Amino acid sequence: MSTRKVKRPRAGRHPNQDPAPPPPRPDTPAAWLVAADTVALVVFVLAGMRSHHEGSAAWIFLRNAIPLLVAWVAVAALLKTYRTPGFMIVAKTWIVAVPIGLTVRSLWVGSPTGWRFVVFLAVGLGFTMLFLGIGRLVLALITGRGYPQRRRP
């Protein structure tokens, strides 16, 4: 019997092999998505404050931001918005949370009512979606990443 040792190939790729595919991009942390959405909703509230002149700026901000942000956080928690990637889950959160937040705000403030409320709701829905979309786009540009990848069990 021979005592000669057999050389085993080293781990890694052979020089003639195709290059290895690039490693997958890391997931966008959910905390960054939460921050982007929160900033987008705050910017929406700040933009809307330009039409309100009664009371202090801090009070106007709080009475408009609190219902919207609380509704967003509650609906996002129920729908698990930040666990499931993609546009559709954000759209579902938006279509439920924003009308709730704007309705609570209108009931709290006492205006607008009637058809003015319908217009207020339509404008609020449009601009919140615009700001949320811009926030997500800016986040993707800054991080170089899109939505988190789905985790497969």
Side-chain angles (χ1 to χ4, degrees):
M1 191 169 216
S2 172
T3 58
R4 185 174 165 212
K5 291 187 177 182
V6 176
K7 285 189 176 182
R8 295 187 180 171
R10 287 188 283 163
R13 67 176 190 86
H14 188 272
N16 295 335
Q17 287 179 330
D18 291 333
R25 288 183 169 181
D27 294 344
T28 300
W32 293 11
L33 296 171
V34 171
D37 291 348
T38 302
V39 168
L41 295 172
V42 166
V43 169
F44 165 75
V45 169
L46 291 172
M49 283 177 56
R50 296 182 67 194
S51 64
H52 302 285
H53 302 292
E54 69 285 348
S56 71
W59 170 245
I60 294 170
F61 175 79
L62 290 174
R63 77 172 193 194
N64 293 335
I66 289 172
L68 184 59
L69 292 173
V70 168
W72 184 269
V73 169
V75 172
L78 287 172
L79 297 180
K80 299 179 180 158
T81 302
Y82 300 106
R83 290 187 188 175
T84 308
F87 172 77
M88 289 308 297
I89 193 67
V90 175
K92 288 177 185 176
T93 305
W94 164 78
I95 200 65
V96 174
V98 172
I100 291 171
L102 296 180
T103 301
V104 169
R105 180 255 178 223
S106 291
L107 292 172
W108 184 4
V109 173
S111 69
T113 58
W115 280 106
R116 291 183 69 211
F117 174 74
V118 174
V119 171
F120 172 71
L121 188 59
V123 170
L125 280 166
F127 277 100
T128 52
M129 180 51 84
L130 175 68
F131 291 143
L132 288 166
I134 290 170
R136 293 286 180 116
L137 178 64
V138 168
L139 179 62
L141 291 173
I142 289 171
T143 63
R145 307 175 212 169
Y147 287 100
Q149 298 298 317
R150 289 184 190 244
R151 300 219 192 297
R152 306 221 190 275

